Every structure is written in C-alpha cells, then in structure tokens.
Amino acid sequence: MAVMVPDVWPLVLFLRLSVICVVGGIASFFLSTKPRCKERKALICVQAFPPLLKSAGGVSKRYLTLCRALIDMGWKVSLMTPVDVTQSKEPEVDEWLKTGQLKHIPARGVRMRSTDGIAVFLDVFSFYNGGFLLRELIWTGGYDVLIADDIPWRFALVLICRAAGVPSILTSHTDATQLASFRGNLSLHVVWYFHMLSAQLADIHATVSKTFGDILRQRERVTVEAVWPPILWSKSFRDAPATYAGEARALRKEWEAQLGFKPKTCFLYAGRWSSEKRIHKLFPTIPDDCALVVVGDGSSDYAEQIATSKLPRNVLLRRKMLGAEELRLAYAAADVFVSASHFETLGNTLIESWCAGTPPAVHPAQGHLEYCRDGANGFHVDYNDEKKARAKLELISRERLWTADKLPTLREQGEFFRESDFPRMFMEAVVRPAVKLAEGRRGYVLETLNRGVTLAIWFALWPVFRFSLRSGFFIVSIFGPVKYEVLGKLGSSVEIKEEDNTSFKSHFQTAKALGWRHGRPLPAI
C-alpha cells in the first residue's frame, strides 16, 4: 500500500515569504535607526518644469512656484526630473542650483507623441531611476516628504516611500480622459486605471481645485484629501494693475497697428495651443468691431493648424510663449480674457487675468467653475453654441460689461489672488496632513515589519512592470497611434518641435539590427 506524502509546497512558500519579510524588516529597522537630518528636505518627482512650457504649460510653472515656496521657507529640495532644469532660463533656478538649495537628480524620461502633441514623462521603472529612488529614500534618507505630479505608474513611488517611512503626496493635475488621444486607446485607459489606483495608495492625494476633486470622487471613486492653493508663478502678477497701465497702452496701440483698425473691445487668449483648448471655437464668436489677440505656442499638429490657417481680419496671432512680465502686460492691454477650453482642472490663466484686473469670459466647464461667477467677476460663455457665444460677447462689448463698475467682485477677486500666501497655505493644506500621518505610523509596533514587507513587494513588482512597459512601448509605437521614445541621456529633456516624417517602422528595423529585444530600452531616434 502506497504511503501518502503530504504536499509541502504551501509550507515552503510560506517559509520563503517569511524569510523575505524578516530580512526586509531587519533592513528597515536598521535604516530607521539612522539619525534624521535636522534640515527639512523634500523630494519632488516631476515631469513638468521649466523650460518645458509649450508641452507642459501651467504644471511646469506650478512646480517652479512650489520649489520657490519650500526654498524660501528654508527647505532643501531635491528635484528628480527628466527635464534639463539648467536650461530653465529662470535666474532663481540657476541660483538655487549654485547654492545647493536645489539638487537636480537627472532622471530617465520617455517621450510620447500623440495627436495631442509631445509630452515627456518620468520613467519610474528605469534602472537609473529605480536606483536613484533607492539611494535617496532608503539609503541616504532624511526626507520629510515626497511630492509627485501626474507621473504614470506612480504607485511605485508610493510603495518605496512607504518602505522608507516617507509620506507621499500625489497630485492629479490633468484630466487625461478629455484628451483626444485617450479616446479608443486601450493602453492609455490601462495607464489611467493605475493612475487612479496610485492616488488611492498615497498618503495624500491632492488636486488643483475643489471642482476637479469632486469630479474625480464621483467619476473615478477615488479619495481627494487636499487641494492646492492658487499659485502665482511670478511676483510680476502681484503688482497692482496701475503699475503696467502706461506700457499696456503702448502694447495696445501696437496690436491695433498690426490689426489695421481700433477695436471696440480687445479680447485675449493666452496659453498653450492644443486641441483641448479649442482656440478655433473663439474665432467665429468675436464681434466684427472687436478683436481677438492670441498669444502662446504649442508642440502639436493643432498648433501648426492654428498658425497656418486662414483667420478673420479681427484675429491677431502672436506665436510665442511669453515671460511673466510680457504676459502680465498682455493681460493689462486687453479688455477681456477668453477661453473655450472644456478641459481645465483649474486654469492658471484666469487667476493671472484677475490679478491684472482683466475679467475672464470662459466656457463653463470643470476648473473654470472654481472661481468664475457669471456677472460678478467674469462671464460664462457657452462656446459650443456659436450664435449664443457671439451674442454674449457682443452684449459684453456693447454694454461695456467688462469694466470694474459693472462687475461687483472683480477688484476683490484680483486682490485676493495678489495677496494670497501660497507657501503658508500649501503647508497647511497639503504638507502638514501628510507629515502628521507618517509621524503617527512611527509609533506602531509592526511598522518596521510593514515597511519591510512593502520594500519586498516593490522589489517583486519592479522587474515585472519593467519588462511589460518596455515591451508595451515598443508594440504600441509600431501598431498604435501613440509613439514612445526612451530618452538616452538622463535629465536632458528640453522644448522641441514636432518632428516631421518620423518613421517608426524604420526605427523598428534599426532597433532589430542593433540587437534590440523585449525588456530593453529602444535606441533613441
């Protein structure tokens, strides 16, 4: 009679996992006994920072403002980004780098090309970036908080922060579901699913407006614990409107000379030129005796279409991403700021226009509803209905409804933003709740073991996602509408123009000839 031998593999698996957890726990305990740095330190992981303006827009300015706020409060900031911040053209950034107040950690990036233009994101599952994170968070340590923007697959950042005992703050700035490239694209749907999952795992999930936070809660069923206070990315916007009055009149005359007539009301659009901004919807709504000045730039095909299309005689294009003083002057020279975008999660340009004393006339959707009140500090205009929108703008111009006398809270709104204290408000609303959560966890008996298990999970998931994403980049670039390129040089991303006639099939053949195989980075184009 055969002897029954019990199946012991579950026990073996349990013992192996136990050993991993114990080793991870011992490592976490050892690292947790290292003396904490007396200086406040923040690790900021972003893919949007100057000089990326045409592709990143307001998000890059938001993180410039955040770095300034933290440094002014005496924090040391480490900036992990694929962007070449040495090319930011911001004098204060150069000074921070020179004095050591800002430490640049060059990161591996992936360039994505789609119908929405060119974007660069931080490659979380790069060998270099993974090594940097282990070194900075686990080995070097001393960080009080990690702050990250809309980085794809950012759950990996949350896990390694949890293993290091560092509170994580993730911010959702962009509603990717509204992008043209998102619709019908399975790969981007998968990325968005993990994006929202990451938000659930973070200590603090923040957004840039209460309105967008409510949208995420209802549509995505995610928690939102904090909202960023409004930002002013340059001190130029804090100046009173009268400061720029003389220069604004000179700029207005320059516009009138280029238009060839003196408009009754001058409307202004400022910002990125991209399809979700729907700039083309503004053109037919401008009354004949008025003018629209469009300033900004973009990296998408849409920007080229705007720049080369036949425009009405009362539309003036000035293709350039303006600096702070130039932009502040443009707002002051205009009578009304306009935006047909239905995409904004807040709309920094509205805040800037209010600071200049210029009321906005915006499409009533998403972040535009955060502060804009129709007939009080601005106007709601339905740009989806061309006739109604034109009639509304004609009424605004004819009755001069845009003046401060007709808008009871226009001056008050501008003063509120000009006098706002972003550093204090951000610390109270976003950073302190995250730090408090982390401090509370340090008292738990099993916290060290918990961190060890989390570190083991991070190591287990990392190679799986590394292989899957590298393969996905390659396959989607060949067969899908979105093209990916792993950047060869760390921290080298700068503003570029759309490259024409790029053949990804040719790229595939070149990669194969170079011995490329799945799981390895694609050679740069």
Side-chain angles (χ1 to χ4, degrees), residues 350-428:
L350 272 73
I351 295 172
E352 295 162 4
S353 71
W354 272 313
C355 288
T358 303
V362 296
H363 188 73
Q366 299 224 114
H368 283 166
L369 298 173
E370 184 78 358
Y371 293 108
C372 188
R373 302 292 178 264
D374 189 31
N377 59 13
F379 307 97
H380 292 169
V381 180
D382 183 5
Y383 291 100
N384 289 334
D385 190 321
E386 181 183 317
K387 290 183 179 179
K388 287 184 178 180
R390 186 181 179 93
K392 183 75 175 275
L393 295 185
E394 285 177 345
L395 177 64
I396 292 170
S397 175
R398 185 176 62 252
E399 303 295 332
R400 292 177 61 84
L401 299 179
W402 49 266
T403 61
D405 295 336
K406 301 288 182 68
L407 295 171
T409 62
L410 177 61
R411 290 192 182 96
E412 180 184 341
Q413 193 70 70
E415 289 174 4
F416 169 76
F417 291 124
R418 289 195 300 270
E419 296 173 4
S420 62
D421 186 355
F422 172 79
R424 178 188 60 80
M425 295 167 71
F426 185 82
M427 290 298 294
E428 292 179 356

